[in-house]
């Protein structure tokens, strides 16, 4: 454990950020899963609604610096492909 006051504070803030980042990444994964479920059920309206929510979350994680932009682009591409494949 650190002895220096500023380092003790950094440990605390890093832990808070780690928890916040993990929560945001989990929310993105859940949103993508909702799109997959809707696509598997061939429910285009629900899939489009879920994809819009997923896009918002993905864009937010990039703007907050939680995810890289290429990761977000890959995820958005996957979601778009799922929605577009629904007949």
């Amino acid at each position: 454990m650190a002895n220096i006051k500023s380092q003790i504070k950094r440990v605390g803030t890093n832990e808070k950020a780690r928890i916040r980042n993990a929560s945001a990444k989990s929310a993105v994964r859940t949103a993508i899963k909702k799109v997959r479920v809707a696509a598997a059920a061939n429910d285009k309206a629900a899939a489009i609604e879920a994809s819009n929510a997923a896009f918002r979350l993905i864009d937010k994680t990039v703007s907050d610096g939680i995810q890289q932009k290429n990761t977000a682009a890959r995820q958005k591409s996957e979601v778009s492909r799922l929605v577009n494949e629904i007949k």
Side-chain angles (χ1 to χ4, degrees), residues 24 27-28 31 48-64 67 72 76 79:
V28 167
I48 290 172
E49 188 174 321
S51 70
N52 290 339
F55 283 168
R56 279 194 298 273
L57 284 173
I58 291 168
D59 289 337
K60 181 158 176 42
T61 58
V62 172
S63 66
D64 290 345
Q67 280 188 334
K76 289 167 78 171
V79 167

Side-chain angles (χ1 to χ4, degrees), residues 18-38:
R18 185 188 69 79
I19 292 168
R20 186 171 52 248
N21 293 346
S23 174
K25 286 180 185 179
S26 177
V28 167
R29 286 192 299 266
T30 302
I32 293 171
K33 186 176 180 182
K34 287 180 182 178
V35 175
R36 282 194 194 114
V37 169

Side-chain angles (χ1 to χ4, degrees), residues 1 3 6 8 42 48 55 66 70 72-73 78 82 85-86:
M1 187 65 194
N3 293 337
S6 62
I8 292 170
N42 285 331
I48 290 172
F55 283 168
I66 296 169
N70 289 346
E78 177 192 358
L82 287 169
E85 287 178 352
I86 300 173

